[in-house]
Amino acid sequence: MPDPSAFSQRRQTGVRSQRCHPQPARCHPSDGSPRWPAPPRWSACGGGQGSGDDGPVEIAALYPTSGPLALLGEESWRGAKIAAKLRNADGGIDGRDVKLVKADVPDVNAATSEARRLLTKERLDLAIGTYSSSLALAASEVYARGRGTYAELGAITTDYSTRDYDSVWRTNPPADRFASTQVDFITDWVAGAVDKDVSDLKVALVHEDSSYGSSVARSARTEAKDAGITDISFAPYNAEASDLSSVVLRLKKAKPDIVIAVSYASDAILLARQMKQNNVVVPAFIGTGGGHTLKSFGKTVGDAAEGIFNVDFTQYAVKREATPGLDKFVKAYREEYGEEPASGHSLTNYMGANAVFNILEQTGGDTSTGAFGKAAGEYTKKAGTTATGWGVDFDENGQNSLANPYVMQWRDGTLETVWPKRVATKEPVLAK
């Protein structure tokens, strides 16, 4: 059974050594080693909390905690906040407390204006966030153009890491890795389970039509075609639609073996309910995080969730040997909020924030773009040594090459990890 981690590592092998961080420095023409400009361009930013400071290490934190994205935005923020709290309890960064300066960014305009304010007026030259792909693109654009550093901990659009910005980083897996995991799972397990050759599989891509859904759908189509799947149809929809019966009836008529769905919270619920009402059963319905991950999804749709697969960030029914530190996070979450985590978004931001803090430990708390970039380029952590089970190793685009989603399945109200086997708590089964 191919392991998505191994798959990704094969694709990324050898690229990290080519990365040169401080823009506009380029690799040395003869041997590919980094060549650092003097004085560095990023020193003009001004902000930058040097290693000699004795106040808190301040980091901008941009999350949508109001508006339509607030549900998962708040969950993501909680993970980063717990990471800061636990880090401070353990002595902070180089003896200094971590202070996250939070900004609510419910839409793209707010993400742009708040990023500009935090960078230029508050002089915070390091920022984290955001959960939403559209917001991540907007906020990181401001930071990159303003010679600050942006570390994304949750958004997955592939466009984030393809803009040639040397001060933009991401700790979570991108959309194309979600797609490759879905297709690997299809070729490795689903094809055999439905007793078909991969080339005979019929796949429908059902997705909300924003940057998030469209990005994942494009990546899934590319990965599926590369794997030999040719019968692929698309059913985009507006996430704010109040009726998805037209999408459901198309599925009923097409009878696909597999649906790959990309949905936010309310549309995931609506789609599941209307499929149930119309007796539409797909042998392998595979969600892509978002709404299919939330505890509220399983609770709200009840039996309609049973058997639905979901490819996403690490969730909580996962092998503990592969996710050291996960129980510590869950305990802290319960103590802080008096409830269980709503989804893996908090855990993912917890892991990412800890990676940022570890990098700052290497800079002595210096948040300047040059210091952070050099330390990030040298920072590595083996797979299976973080609370998500991921490792850390940034490639030439600032993307963590050791972050990979897993396949989960709703079983008796719990999102159990079913693939790959090294992190699985149950065997996968087809929907009936």
Side-chain angles (χ1 to χ4, degrees):
M1 177 184 293
D3 182 328
S5 297
F7 175 78
S8 178
Q9 289 173 41
R10 286 196 299 273
R11 295 201 306 185
Q12 301 295 341
T13 298
V15 295
R16 178 175 173 271
S17 61
Q18 300 168 13
R19 181 172 176 78
C20 301
H21 300 299
Q23 192 174 1
R26 297 294 181 221
C27 290
H28 191 282
S30 60
D31 61 10
S33 62
R35 182 173 57 190
W36 307 95
R41 171 184 166 190
W42 20 259
S43 65
C45 182
Q49 304 155 75
S51 57
D53 295 347
D54 56 7
V57 178
E58 295 187 318
I59 303 169
L62 297 97
Y63 289 93
T65 53
S66 67
L69 300 175
L71 183 62
L72 291 179
E74 170 66 24
E75 183 68 11
S76 299
W77 158 241
R78 288 182 174 189
K81 186 178 175 183
I82 289 172
K85 182 177 181 178
L86 294 181
R87 181 61 60 122
N88 288 337
D90 289 339
I93 295 173
D94 198 33
R96 298 161 59 191
D97 276 354
V98 179
K99 181 181 178 182
L100 297 181
V101 181
K102 179 177 171 290
D104 180 18
V105 290
D107 54 39
V108 170
N109 288 337
T112 299
S113 60
E114 284 295 278
R116 189 174 295 130
R117 178 182 67 81
L118 291 164
L119 177 62
T120 61
K121 293 186 178 179
E122 302 297 331
R123 301 175 69 81
L124 300 177
D125 54 2
L126 172 61
I128 62 172
T130 51
Y131 148 63
S132 161
S133 292
S134 299
L135 304 183
L137 290 172
S140 61
E141 185 87 12
V142 171
Y143 263 78
R145 289 180 178 275
R147 303 174 188 174
T149 297
Y150 200 91
E152 178 57 40
L153 314 184
I156 68 172
T157 179
T158 51
D159 295 339
Y160 179 84
S161 299
T162 58
R163 297 170 295 172
D164 200 28
Y165 289 141
D166 282 351
S167 61
V168 168
W169 308 81
R170 177 159 58 185
T171 56
N172 61 280
D176 56 353
R177 221 164 287 168
F178 278 67
S180 64
T181 298
Q182 286 167 325
V183 173
D184 284 350
F185 177 60
I186 289 169
T187 58
D188 180 66
W189 184 83
V190 177
V194 300
D195 196 24
K196 284 190 174 183
D197 290 335
V198 170
S199 59
D200 294 329
L201 291 172
K202 184 182 288 188
V203 176
L205 290 167
V206 178
H207 66 92
E208 63 82 31
D209 59 5
S210 76
S211 174
Y212 163 55
S214 299
S215 174
V216 175
R218 286 195 302 269
S219 298
R221 178 183 58 182
T222 300
E223 293 284 348
K225 283 189 173 180
D226 288 347
I229 300 171
T230 57
D231 192 345
I232 305 171
S233 61
F234 288 82
Y237 65 85
N238 188 316
E240 297 181 4
S242 58
D243 182 5
L244 295 177
S245 58
S246 61
V247 174
V248 171
L249 293 177
R250 285 177 63 183
L251 291 177
K252 191 171 187 176
K253 183 178 180 181
K255 296 181 179 178
D257 302 300
I258 300 154
V259 165
I260 295 177
V262 192
S263 307
Y264 285 114
S266 59
D267 49 320
I269 291 171
L270 181 61
L271 186 60
R273 279 179 168 165
Q274 293 193 318
M275 287 181 67
K276 181 79 171 179
Q277 290 165 0
N278 288 277
N279 297 315
V280 178
V281 178
V282 177
F285 184 104
I286 308 174
T288 313
H292 292 104
T293 290
L294 291 168
K295 279 195 167 187
S296 58
F297 172 76
K299 187 175 181 180
T300 303
V301 304
D303 291 345
E306 186 67 16
I308 287 180
F309 293 105
N310 186 42
V311 172
D312 200 3
F313 302 146
T314 309
Q315 303 298 309
Y316 301 97
V318 62
K319 203 172 275 185
R320 288 299 191 266
E321 297 88 337
T323 54
L326 189 151
D327 286 333
K328 179 180 179 181
F329 167 73
V330 172
K331 180 174 182 289
Y333 191 105
R334 288 177 185 144
E335 291 175 352
E336 183 75 15
Y337 298 106
E339 60 185 1
E340 299 292 319
S343 78
H345 291 77
S346 50
L347 176 63
T348 296
N349 279 260
Y350 171 77
M351 175 268 170
N354 273 313
V356 170
F357 300 159
N358 290 342
I359 291 166
L360 288 173
E361 195 72 51
Q362 302 305 309
T363 71
D366 186 346
T367 61
S368 67
T369 302
F372 187 91
K374 185 175 187 302
E378 296 170 351
Y379 179 73
T380 61
K381 211 164 170 53
K382 291 182 179 178
T385 62
T386 69
T388 55
W390 306 334
V392 181
D393 193 353
F394 295 106
D395 67 16
E396 80 280 12
N397 294 316
Q399 171 62 49
N400 180 10
S401 63
L402 299 183
N404 294 284
Y406 304 138
V407 181
M408 277 70 68
Q409 187 173 33
W410 283 100
R411 305 275 282 276
D412 297 323
T414 299
L415 205 50
E416 300 278 357
T417 305
V418 296
W419 196 87
K421 198 167 187 176
R422 69 178 179 83
V423 292
T425 51
K426 287 187 180 296
E427 294 289 331
V429 295
L430 292 177
K432 298 178 181 176

